[in-house]
Amino acid sequence: MSERSERRADPAEPHDRPGRTAAVDSAAVDSAIVDSATGAFVAHRNLLFTVAYEMLGSAADAEDVLQETWLRWVDVDLDTVREERAYLVRIVTRQALDRLRALGRRKESYVGPWLPEPLLTAPDVAEDVELAESVSMAMLLVLETLQPTERAVFVLREVFDLDYDEIAEAVGKSPNAVRQIAYRARAHVAARRPRGVASPAETRAVLQAFQRAVETGELQSLLDVLAPDVVALSDGGGVRHALLRPVVGIDDVARLLAVGWWTRDAERSVELVQINGAPGLLVRVDGEIDGVVAVRVEQGYVTGAYHVRNPDKLSHVKRETMVTR
């Protein structure tokens, strides 16, 4: 008999009670257990999604990880759980690590640059500066350069402020090993993260230049805000036309813009929205969502421009996704 079965059995219940009544009582207990598990899971769902998303850079894979986490959570003996949030984070981290390693193999055969899956987020996400930076396209690309365990440790420690013992349980390492991994990950990220977090107003200003370029073809105001070493990436996933490799430097990016980064023989509209906790552009062609543009802004200049056109990555820009910590 399983632990759960033993826990559900009531030792005070008479053994000669009719079978139908016993079955009804057992069903009621089962329902109460599921209701309790469901309540805890729902209470922490947005947090769990954010953990998985920051580890994976993919909303679709994060949703799959949440489903796997639920299937494991509902089978846990809740009487043995001291702290539900920590236990759920541990489950989601382990599932995300497994998925992250599988994603690494898939990305090796990806057509063109791989960009994170953009999210349409609520404006209030920007009020939590650390959370907004952690889910930004620029930071997610930095996190892509970490090894899976390093990424998990960095996210859990730097973003969600878990203690080393909790992280050690989640990643299957000793607390001392986790401290060393955290130190390496912090140094790695510090060397690659944006130099200073741009304010929403700064980001909005440069995106308005992008918007004018898309809508009118007038490029000068956009060129004025591009950094000399700007990098342009676009992700079509082999389905939509996109760059097959990064374009680096203001001269090459200017030529790219001059020949048309966006479709010119169709009716276009560009909307300023919140993408991954910061201002971004939602581009529609003939009324249909065609892509998302996000930028990395440092000291008032665009150092990174990210254009996601892969239709498989655009489902989470049709409605707001809640992220929290």
Side-chain angles (χ1 to χ4, degrees), residues 29-324:
V29 172
D30 285 347
S31 178
I33 291 170
V34 171
D35 287 347
S36 179
T38 301
F41 186 84
V42 170
H44 298 294
R45 188 190 186 285
N46 292 337
L47 164 72
L48 300 176
F49 173 85
T50 309
V51 172
Y53 176 72
E54 292 201 21
M55 286 183 60
L56 299 167
S58 164
D61 286 291
E63 293 285 3
D64 287 345
V65 163
L66 256 62
Q67 180 64 26
E68 293 161 2
T69 298
W70 163 250
L71 293 175
R72 283 158 178 76
W73 171 245
V74 77
D75 206 36
V76 169
D77 182 349
L78 299 184
D79 287 344
T80 67
V81 176
R82 294 189 305 273
E83 212 282 300
E84 292 172 342
R85 178 181 181 273
Y87 200 105
L88 281 163
V89 167
R90 186 162 75 231
I91 298 175
V92 84
T93 299
R94 290 175 178 173
Q95 299 307 311
L97 274 171
D98 289 343
R99 183 62 62 100
L100 186 58
R101 294 178 180 115
L103 277 177
R105 293 188 291 272
R106 279 164 39 190
K107 289 173 189 174
E108 291 174 0
S109 58
Y110 197 80
V111 178
W114 183 95
L115 289 174
E117 185 175 348
L119 304 177
L120 183 67
T121 52
D124 60 2
V125 173
E127 296 173 6
D128 185 338
V129 176
E130 290 183 356
L131 176 63
E133 184 194 13
S134 73
V135 298
S136 69
M137 297 286 278
M139 178 55 76
L140 290 174
L141 283 171
V142 172
L143 295 181
E144 281 292 309
T145 64
L146 296 174
Q147 295 299 314
T149 302
E150 289 178 332
R151 186 167 182 170
V153 169
F154 181 87
V155 167
L156 295 178
R157 180 63 182 172
E158 300 301 311
V159 182
F160 298 97
D161 199 29
L162 268 65
D163 63 41
Y164 291 113
D165 290 340
E166 289 179 296
I167 300 172
E169 289 189 32
V171 301
K173 303 284 185 181
S174 71
N176 284 338
V178 166
R179 284 185 174 86
Q180 293 173 1
I181 293 169
Y183 177 82
R184 291 198 306 270
R186 277 195 299 270
H188 185 97
V189 170
R192 293 163 177 79
R193 76 193 313 161
R195 299 182 294 274
V197 179
S199 70
E202 288 178 302
T203 303
R204 194 175 296 111
V206 300
L207 282 169
Q208 286 169 344
F210 265 92
Q211 189 171 9
R212 286 192 294 274
V214 175
E215 293 176 336
T216 69
E218 190 278 307
L219 299 179
Q220 189 56 53
S221 61
L222 176 54
L223 297 179
D224 289 342
V225 296
L226 295 181
D229 56 351
V230 61
V231 177
L233 300 170
S234 65
D235 179 345
V239 180
R240 294 266 183 86
H241 177 71
L243 303 173
L244 292 179
R245 60 187 60 85
V247 174
V248 182
I250 190 170
D251 291 338
D252 287 342
V253 171
R255 280 192 287 271
L256 169 67
L257 294 168
V259 300
W261 197 3
W262 296 278
T263 305
R264 292 185 179 276
D265 57 351
E267 182 180 343
R268 297 184 312 280
S269 66
V270 183
E271 180 184 359
L272 194 61
V273 295
Q274 288 291 116
I275 297 294
N276 288 60
L281 296 178
L282 187 62
V283 182
R284 289 185 173 87
V285 173
D286 293 333
E288 299 294 327
I289 293 176
D290 181 76
V292 166
V293 176
V295 292
R296 169 172 168 158
V297 179
E298 301 178 67
Q299 301 173 345
Y301 291 93
V302 177
T303 58
Y306 316 117
H307 188 196
V308 181
R309 296 195 70 213
N310 184 345
D312 292 337
K313 294 185 176 183
L314 297 176
S315 63
H316 280 73
V317 297
K318 298 176 182 177
R319 62 188 184 282
E320 285 185 1
T321 298
M322 295 296 297
V323 293
T324 188

